[in-house]
Amino acid sequence: SPQLYHPHDMRMNSTNHYFARPFGRHTATRLADGRVLIAGGWQRLAGQDESSVSSAAFIFDPATLTTTPTGSMHRARTNHQAVLLNSGRVLVVGGLGPPNVNGIFPGIPEAETFDPVTGTWTIVGQTIDTRWEHTLTRLDCPAAEPGCSWGGRVLVFGGFTDTWPVVNAGLF
């Protein structure tokens, strides 16, 4: 079940809210309105003994401690990363897809954005290298440099490819 950290008390409290399925290696991204987008990862579906890579997404509302399904990603993925964009959308990049017939988890090249107003996902491009266990960092302009050229872009850094750690970074 999700837990809430109380910084004033420096303690964790249970929300007493239980999801219908367990999650792992998903992303949880705070939206501009305070709700949280939970996307992808390993999820055990009802009636299954094993977990699988999922495209499902949910919205957790900390005000009501409720979780509701929202639109699914175009690609099932785990070990991906997500970041809130200045537009209020969420960018999801990379990760691993469900295993192929050889048992290999392929890298996901497509990047997607989630629109919290409509609850829908849109594929917005591809990475040069498929990668997972990387980082995404939104680049904001410092107050001293209004209108800088990198404001609102996202740095994609590090992680792993099919065989090696990634040695390059990219801007989205």
Side-chain angles (χ1 to χ4, degrees):
S1 72
Q3 296 180 337
L4 297 177
Y5 175 71
H6 297 275
H8 300 295
D9 302 348
M10 294 192 302
R11 61 189 169 100
M12 297 288 289
N13 286 357
S14 174
T15 63
N16 293 321
H17 175 77
Y18 294 93
F19 289 92
R21 61 185 82 164
F23 287 85
R25 296 186 178 168
H26 56 280
T27 55
T29 308
R30 184 184 179 276
L31 301 173
D33 63 5
R35 297 176 303 153
V36 179
L37 172 68
I38 301 165
W42 287 93
Q43 298 177 18
R44 184 174 299 157
L45 303 176
Q48 290 185 344
D49 291 332
E50 296 183 14
S51 297
S52 60
V53 179
S54 176
S55 61
F58 302 86
I59 300 291
F60 175 71
D61 187 338
T64 61
L65 301 179
T66 58
T67 305
T68 54
T70 190
S72 293
M73 293 183 289
H74 291 274
R75 296 289 304 267
R77 57 180 85 214
T78 185
N79 295 63
H80 55 287
Q81 294 297 324
V83 65
L84 180 67
L85 300 174
N86 290 340
S87 66
R89 293 175 183 255
V90 175
L91 174 68
V92 172
V93 175
L96 296 168
N100 60 26
V101 294
N102 297 321
I104 296 171
F105 293 81
I108 303 292
E110 292 89 1
E112 304 184 46
T113 57
F114 174 75
D115 183 339
V117 175
T118 63
T120 59
W121 293 86
T122 303
I123 293 178
V124 293
Q126 291 191 347
T127 57
I128 295 169
D129 298 311
T130 60
R131 59 178 76 204
W132 54 91
E133 297 185 21
H134 52 290
T135 61
L136 294 183
T137 305
R138 187 182 71 206
L139 303 175
D140 294 322
C141 293
E145 295 186 46
C148 70
S149 63
W150 65 85
R153 296 188 75 186
V154 174
L155 175 67
V156 182
F157 188 79
F160 294 91
T161 64
D162 291 330
T163 55
W164 300 100
V166 176
V167 295
N168 63 20
L171 287 174
F172 196 90

